[in-house]
Amino acid sequence: MIRFSCPGCKMVLQAPADRTGATVKCPRCHMLMRVPAALAVAPSASATLAAPSLPAATSSPAPPPLAETSDRSSPLVGPGLGPPSAAETEGSKAATTGSAGRPWWRRLLGEIPAIGRATAVHTVRPLAYLVARLKQRSLARQAEAACLVLGQQMYEQKLGEEKLRAEIQALGERIHSAQAVKGQTKDLVAQRHELLVRLARPALWAGPALAPGLKANLEKARQAESRLHAHGERLAQARAVMWPGGLAEWGRVMAGYAVVVAGLGLGGGAWWWLGTTATQAPDPSDAVAEVSKAPSDPGPETLDPDKLPDLRTQDIAARYEKSIALIRFRDSNGRDLGFGTGFLVRDGVLATNAHVIKMSMVDSLEISFPSAGEADRQPRKAKALLYEDKKRDLAFLSVDTNLPALVIAPSYKFVRGQEVTVIGNPGSFNALVLENAVSKGVMSSQTKHQDQDFYQLNIAVNPGNSGGPVFDSKGRVIGVITMKSVFQESMGFCVPCKDLNEHMAKALAQTPEDARKAKAQHDTEVIYRRLLWASRICSQLMRQRSFVIRNTPTPAARKQAIVNTKVQAQKNLDEMEKRLLEDVRSAWNRVGQDTSLSEEVRTKMRSMLDTYEDMRKHLVSDFELVAAYERQAQELTDRMRRYAEPLRTLLHEEEEEEFDHEP
């Protein structure tokens, strides 16, 4: 007999030796092939699945020879395994010719049933193999447990291999001595169990004479081992047919999987599209945009906030935090001189508090968006100051960004106890800035301060939150954080959205010339404030120096005190000027030429600069008489006051503290 396998489906077939070279047809895939020359193929895992295992020649007669005619009822030979008839040969030729002559799409349609069968079969078979593997593990554990019980009983009755029993006894003694050693007993017990199983396995098939008194446990172990062995053969069969045989079968399976994946993708996309268009909650910004684009647009006041969905705090933060900015300005050493918060109210327009930028030139402001993309997280300069109102504490800057603006409520009716959300950049210990920190609180009351309306919030705000937006539960901005109580915790105040909208309209109406004038006015005020602070500090340092020298007891010690205080005063002066006046002189050379400033303002500002230069020179001067030093210091302080007071009126500045108060 010649045993050989089908090239297409790998089914093992057999034929008499005298049939060498005859054409036969595979009973499974109907592929035509020739019987090879005497080539014995050893039974493999695939042959085990394709045909039943052949019994030994001594125990049963050999299988019948291959019939000359088709025997379609034979489970081994299969249909058409004999030489094909003339009709079959002609039919197969016609089918081949017809298949080759058909268009490709017809051939593809003809393959659809085969693709479906192959995909289903080779999807189920790996799963069946996986289930069989899991069952084999379970049977292996059961067999091992039965052998362990049998081995323990054999060891107690001194049955089985003597050498193994000696090793088991030695391990038992080691386990007993290692009880107090952590982590050692577990490994020794596992080794002892393995030896007990090895002791029991030879007795399973040795017969009852070698294991008297062990009938019950012996029978259980035999049954468990038999089940494990039988299942191992089924597992081998499942593994043999788990994967497709041949490139054609692989192609059908891959094509089937591709169709399934494409169908799932299209179905999932359609489900997502239908779900988002039918059930997605409307974005408040979309609602405002729709109202503003209506043909008969009567104004945003027609938007009914009750029709907008309520948002959770985390939803508000996730949706809008990318449009909230960190505003800061630093000295030459990179130390923060001030920082605050701003937010986009229109494309490229940033709103904040006027006091946030109070001590910084417009060109020195650094603006970044901590929660946006990598490009927008990088600091950038403000393009222009559009508008500023110090009394209402609002300022609007032009910035270069494509981030979306927040939704500003066109109006708001105060509701006591309404939940609000604040996002800002509060400062913490060691000059740490907490970028876009989120706070939640409630509307508490309405109040007035210096004839201005404010909403009082029961919420935790800190320096750095100034200029940040206050959101209602709809995600609309209903206020701008501006100040907090220094005596009470969780008591913040915000500018109402009514005033924000009013001043935003003025900012958007500014021309480039108006923006240039606003920048010149702002920078002049910054120079004035910094000079005023520097003069106060310089006046304080002069008083401290004269106090130290006046209270030195002896003339010799007084001379040394003059030298020492001069060195210390120079050090303090340099440190102060690095922080306050580093860019004042260059800024004034630029701003002082701006004709939009009145001549009176420019004249008095130059006088303040000259007076400060005299004060800093006098601070570190050498002298002999303390009284003369103090008299000159007082004259310079009075002169600075004479220039500063009318300039404060011209610049509409708030009244500052007197020079003789500590800064």
Side-chain angles (χ1 to χ4, degrees):
M1 295 297 292
I2 300 175
R3 299 188 66 198
F4 58 96
S5 61
C6 173
C9 64
K10 304 302 181 184
M11 180 177 181
V12 175
L13 307 172
Q14 62 182 4
D18 58 356
R19 297 289 294 164
T20 301
T23 303
V24 295
K25 182 187 293 185
C26 176
R28 175 184 290 175
C29 64
H30 306 291
M31 181 177 182
L32 296 176
M33 72 200 80
R34 293 184 181 275
V35 178
L39 177 63
V41 180
S44 61
S46 60
T48 305
L49 175 67
S53 301
L54 294 177
T58 56
S59 60
S60 62
L66 192 63
E68 290 292 337
T69 59
S70 298
D71 184 6
R72 301 182 181 272
S73 62
S74 172
L76 176 61
V77 176
L81 198 56
S85 62
E88 287 180 336
T89 304
E90 292 299 326
S92 63
K93 288 182 179 180
T96 304
T97 305
S99 174
R102 288 186 301 171
W104 65 269
W105 57 271
R106 281 184 171 250
R107 295 198 301 270
L108 181 61
L109 290 176
E111 283 290 323
I112 290 178
I115 290 174
R117 285 195 302 271
T119 305
V121 167
H122 293 290
T123 300
V124 172
R125 284 179 179 176
L127 296 177
Y129 174 72
L130 178 60
V131 172
R133 283 292 302 269
L134 296 175
K135 185 175 180 181
Q136 186 194 33
R137 291 184 182 181
S138 176
L139 292 175
R141 287 193 294 268
Q142 295 175 15
E144 186 176 357
C147 290
L148 180 62
V149 173
L150 179 61
Q152 180 66 32
Q153 192 173 3
M154 291 176 60
Y155 171 73
E156 293 173 355
Q157 297 185 15
K158 298 182 180 181
L159 299 174
E161 187 179 347
E162 185 176 354
K163 183 179 178 180
L164 286 177
R165 295 204 311 271
E167 292 181 11
I168 293 170
Q169 183 177 1
L171 279 175
E173 293 173 355
R174 289 180 61 189
I175 292 171
H176 181 72
S177 62
Q179 287 292 337
V181 181
K182 185 178 180 181
Q184 193 176 13
T185 306
K186 186 176 181 180
D187 295 336
L188 295 176
V189 170
Q191 295 177 24
R192 185 175 183 274
H193 287 176
E194 183 180 354
L195 292 177
L196 289 172
V197 173
R198 288 172 54 190
L199 180 67
R201 286 195 189 278
L204 294 179
W205 318 112
L210 297 179
L214 305 176
K215 183 176 181 181
N217 291 332
L218 181 63
E219 188 61 28
K220 289 181 180 178
R222 282 177 178 171
Q223 292 176 2
E225 285 287 329
S226 299
R227 287 195 299 269
L228 178 62
H229 180 70
H231 188 75
E233 295 181 355
R234 290 193 292 272
L235 181 65
Q237 295 176 2
R239 182 170 57 245
V241 297
M242 181 170 60
W243 304 115
L247 292 177
E249 193 73 5
W250 271 109
R252 294 187 185 100
V253 173
M254 292 298 101
Y257 283 155
V259 171
V260 171
V261 171
L264 291 175
L266 291 175
W271 177 83
W272 176 83
W273 182 79
L274 291 174
T276 53
T277 55
T279 62
Q280 185 179 21
D283 190 337
S285 59
D286 298 337
V288 174
E290 288 299 325
V291 172
S292 62
K293 294 177 183 178
S296 57
D297 184 7
E301 291 78 5
T302 58
L303 180 64
D304 186 0
D306 294 333
K307 296 182 179 179
L308 296 175
D310 285 334
L311 300 176
R312 299 175 301 174
T313 301
Q314 56 265 40
D315 296 333
I316 293 174
R319 182 177 293 183
Y320 299 117
E321 64 178 352
K322 61 180 177 292
S323 301
I324 299 174
L326 168 62
I327 304 173
R328 66 200 316 169
F329 56 97
R330 315 170 192 257
D331 60 13
S332 59
N333 296 324
R335 293 177 298 184
D336 278 318
L337 298 179
F339 56 89
T341 306
F343 58 96
L344 293 171
V345 294
R346 287 292 187 273
D347 292 341
V349 178
L350 192 78
T352 186
N353 285 144
H355 77 261
V356 169
I357 61 174
K358 181 178 181 180
M359 296 298 289
S360 173
M361 311 287 182
V362 174
D363 292 337
S364 300
L365 292 172
E366 294 182 359
I367 300 172
S368 61
F369 295 85
S371 300
E374 183 63 30
D376 289 297
R377 283 200 296 269
Q378 302 302 318
R380 80 285 312 274
K381 299 294 184 181
K383 292 171 62 177
L385 174 64
L386 300 178
Y387 179 79
E388 182 180 22
D389 188 325
K390 292 175 290 184
K391 186 175 182 180
R392 184 66 282 194
D393 198 14
L394 288 174
F396 297 87
L397 300 167
S398 175
V399 294
D400 186 13
T401 181
N402 294 321
L403 292 172
L406 300 184
V407 182
I408 314 300
S411 61
Y412 174 72
K413 182 179 180 181
F414 177 81
V415 179
R416 197 182 309 275
Q418 179 182 2
E419 290 187 352
V420 293
T421 302
V422 170
I423 303 178
N425 305 286
S428 182
F429 55 88
N430 296 330
L432 175 66
V433 178
L434 305 178
E435 297 178 346
N436 279 2
V438 181
S439 301
K440 183 178 180 180
V442 296
M443 279 287 185
S444 183
S445 66
Q446 293 176 285
T447 186
K448 279 185 176 290
H449 178 66
Q450 296 181 349
D451 294 329
Q452 299 293 330
D453 293 326
F454 291 93
Y455 295 147
Q456 187 260 309
L457 315 174
N458 186 8
I459 197 169
V461 292
N462 293 284
N465 276 113
S466 294
V470 180
F471 295 95
D472 65 1
S473 58
K474 311 293 183 181
R476 307 179 308 162
V477 177
I478 58 173
V480 184
I481 289 293
T482 185
M483 60 182 175
K484 63 166 290 186
S485 172
V486 296
F487 304 107
Q488 303 291 335
E489 291 295 328
S490 300
M491 185 179 290
F493 298 86
C494 73
V495 177
C497 61
K498 174 177 66 68
D499 294 333
L500 173 63
N501 284 317
E502 177 184 340
H503 289 78
M504 180 173 63
K506 295 179 181 179
L508 297 177
Q510 297 293 297
T511 64
E513 179 63 20
D514 294 334
R516 186 187 65 78
K517 292 180 180 179
K519 178 182 177 182
Q521 177 74 13
H522 174 83
D523 288 349
T524 303
E525 294 169 0
V526 172
I527 294 171
Y528 167 80
R529 297 183 194 112
R530 291 196 184 185
L531 272 178
L532 202 58
W533 273 92
S535 301
R536 293 169 61 184
I537 294 173
C538 197
S539 178
Q540 183 71 13
L541 292 175
M542 287 189 292
R543 286 198 300 271
Q544 290 177 357
R545 188 181 181 198
S546 64
F547 177 81
V548 172
I549 296 172
R550 182 179 289 279
N551 287 275
T552 303
T554 62
R558 189 170 299 155
K559 289 183 179 181
Q560 187 61 40
I562 291 175
V563 175
N564 294 341
T565 55
K566 177 181 178 180
V567 173
Q568 185 62 38
Q570 185 65 55
K571 180 179 178 180
N572 293 337
L573 184 65
D574 292 342
E575 179 68 20
M576 179 268 293
E577 288 187 340
K578 280 184 180 180
R579 296 180 66 85
L580 284 179
L581 302 180
E582 189 173 41
D583 54 348
V584 161
R585 294 179 180 86
S586 61
W588 176 247
N589 292 335
R590 172 177 50 82
V591 177
Q593 306 301 322
D594 197 317
T595 56
S596 63
L597 299 174
S598 66
E599 182 63 30
E600 185 177 7
V601 169
R602 287 184 285 172
T603 300
K604 292 190 180 301
M605 185 64 74
R606 282 193 293 267
S607 299
M608 282 188 68
L609 285 166
D610 294 340
T611 302
Y612 173 75
E613 289 296 329
D614 294 340
M615 293 178 72
R616 68 185 304 276
K617 290 177 182 177
H618 183 67
L619 171 62
V620 295
S621 63
D622 296 321
F623 59 90
E624 295 183 358
L625 298 177
V626 178
Y629 180 84
E630 292 177 341
R631 186 167 54 254
Q632 181 65 21
Q634 187 60 44
E635 290 177 1
L636 291 171
T637 301
D638 292 340
R639 192 204 310 175
M640 179 63 76
R641 183 184 293 111
R642 287 197 300 273
Y643 293 135
E645 287 180 351
L647 191 57
R648 183 188 69 228
T649 303
L650 293 172
L651 297 176
H652 309 288
E653 281 291 295
E654 297 179 357
E655 187 172 356
E656 296 286 346
E657 297 179 3
E658 292 296 328
F659 285 113
D660 52 356
H661 291 179
E662 289 192 13

